[in-house]
Amino acid sequence: MCGIFGMIGGGAVSNTLRALKYLEYRGYDSAGIAVKGDGGLKIYKTEGRIQNLVDIVPQGLQGGTAIGHTRWATHGAVCAENAHPFYSPDRNFAVVHNGIIENYLTLKEELISQGAEFSSATDSETVAHLLMREYNGDVLEAVQKTAKQLSGSFAIVIATTYDQRLFAVKRRSPLVVGIGNGGVYLCSDIRCVSRWAEQVAVTPDNTIVVTGSDGVYFYDYEGNAVQVDFFDAEEVEEMEQVKGEFMIKEIYEIPERIRLAKREYMRSGLQLNAETVRKFKRIYLIGCGTAYNSGLQVAAVARKLLDIDVLPVIASEFIYDNYPVDSKTLAFFISQSGETADTIRACEKVKEQGGCTYAVTNTKSSQLAYACDRTADISAGGEFAVASTKAYNCQLITLLLLMLDVAKIRGTLDVELYDRVVAAVDELPEAIDNILNDSYDIARLADEVKDCSAVFFIGRTTDYPTAAEGSLKLKEISYIHSEAYPAGELKHGTLALMEEGVGVVAIATDGDLKEKMALSIKEVVARGAKVICVSPYKFENAIPLAIPAVDKLLIGVVAVVPLQLLAYYTAKRLGRDVDKPRNLAKSVTVE
Ligand code: F6R
C-alpha cells in the first residue's frame, strides 16, 4: 500500500523509476519523483501507472539524489494533485510517505491558522509543511520535531535543498535501508532494494534515518544513536525478464515452491519444545483475505488431528473482539507480505495478553516476523500479482506441517500416520503439474464463467475453505459477483438467488460426502444454475473439473489450483488487468 524509494548515487533518476516499477504492486493510482539538481528540487508526478510517470520525466534527466512514490489512495481522490512527492511551500523539502498520519486534520487546521495553503487533500502534505515550519538551520532537528508531532503509521523519505543527505522517519510502515554499488537506498520493500544494495537493514519503529555518502545513521526522536545491524542482501530475480502476467507465472511455480516450502520447514522445524507444545490449550490462525483462507483450511484439517480448539480468525475482527488469550495460547499470524496492518495489530494484542506468537510469512525480514516470537518462512519467492496464488499453497504446506508436528508431540496423531502424510507432501507437485498441463480445459470453462451474472462456490468441511479462496480469486480479478458457502447452507437462504445465468462451482474432494454434494448440485441445477464440479469423482449434471486424488489431509493444496486458473482465464476473457485489479493493492498497510 504505497511504495516509496529514495537513493543517493549514480543513476538516481533511472534507478528510482526502475524501483517504482518494481513497487507498483503496492499501489498504482498515481506516481511521482523528486530529483535534486543544481536548480533545487524538481517534482514530476502524474495520475496512473508508473509508465505514465516515465513518459513525463525528461529523457536523460540527471541527478545524484531522487525520491519516488507509487500511490494507493487513502486520503483524497486519485489525481495528480494528490500524487506524491509533496513540496514544502518554500520548495526546500520534498517528501514521500507510506502510511496514514492519523492526526493530520488537527495539524492541517493548525498550519492553516498560521497561514499555510495546501495543494492536495492528502494527509501526507502536512509533513512537508511541518518540516518547513520546524526548520531552523538544522534538518535533523526539524525532522525530529516533525516526527514527534505525528501519530499513525508512516515511512517518510525526505529530500532537502539544505543538506546533501536523505532523511527518513519510520513508524509501523516498512522502511528498509540498503548500501552498496556506490549508492545508499531507502525503500518499502527488501527485495526491491536488494537488486542494488549489497547490505540491507530493517529500520525499527520510531527511528530517524540519515543517509549520505559518509554512511547511514539511525537516531531516536531525541537524537540518540540507535544500533541497527546490516545483513547481506539476497539475490533477487530481475522483474523485467518476466514475460506476460505475474499471476500465471506464479501459478505455474506452485509445484516447485511446494517442494521448497517443505524443504524449508524440514530444515527449521517447529521451533517449540515439547513441554511448551503440551501446555497449549488453544490455537488461533489469524490473517486477512487469502491468508485467512489458508488458516480456515488448515483449521479444518487440524480439527481432525488435535485435541484442542483450533480457531481461524480474521485479523481485523480479532483486534476488536474478545477472543480469549493467555500463556496457554498459540497464535499463528499468516501473512505473505508480513506487512498487513490488521495482522500486525492482532499480533500485538496477543503479545500484550501473554500468548505465544508465531509468524507464517513469505518475508522473513518483515515487521510481522520481527514482532513474533517465532517465524516460519513459507519460501514462496517474490509474489507480485496482487491476487495471491503460490503463497496460499505454501502457507498451507507450512501450516499443515506445523500442525502435524504439534499433533505428534501432543500424542493425538500416531507416528505412522504422521510419516505417511509428511511423505505424501512429495506427491503434490506432480498432482498439480497434471492440472497445469491440462489448463486448456479450464481456459475453455472460463468462456462459460465469464458470462455468469454471479458465481457461487460451495464445499463442505475442508472443501469450504477452498471454495472461499476460489471465490475470492474470481471476484477480485474478474469483478464478477461471487460468494462462497458451505454447501448445506444454501437451502437456508441463498438458494433464492439460483436462476439461469448463475454459475455454481462445487468442490467435492471427500468421498464420504459425495452423496451430500450430489444433492446440493441437484438443488441448484433444478433452479437453472450451471454447475462446475472440482472433484476426483464424477457428478451428474455438473461439468467436471477433474483433480487427482491425493492424501485427504492435503487435498486442499491441490483443489485450489484449478480455481486459481479459472479466475485467471475468466479475468483474461473479460479483458481485465489481471495483475493489478481495480481498487486493490498487494500490501495493505492501513487498518
Ligand atoms: C487476495 C490477496 C489478499 C491478501 C491479504 C493479506 O488475493 O492477496 O486477500 O491475502 O491482503 O495479505 P498478506 O498475506 O500479505 O498479509
Side-chain angles (χ1 to χ4, degrees), residues 426-471:
D426 298 336
E427 292 161 20
L428 301 181
E430 195 186 326
I432 293 172
D433 269 331
N434 289 337
I435 295 172
L436 296 174
N437 291 339
D438 285 345
S439 71
Y440 52 83
D441 283 341
I442 301 172
R444 266 206 304 269
L445 273 183
D447 282 326
E448 312 260 348
V449 175
K450 77 172 200 320
D451 296 323
C452 288
S453 53
V455 181
F456 294 90
F457 288 71
I458 57 173
R460 286 175 188 263
T461 70
T462 49
D463 290 333
Y464 167 65
T466 307
E469 180 54 11
S471 169

Side-chain angles (χ1 to χ4, degrees), residues 359-378:
V360 177
T361 179
N362 201 24
T363 320
K364 282 178 295 181
S365 54
S366 61
Q367 301 200 79
L368 181 68
Y370 277 89
C372 283
D373 302 323
R374 306 273 184 286
T375 297
D377 175 4
I378 64 166

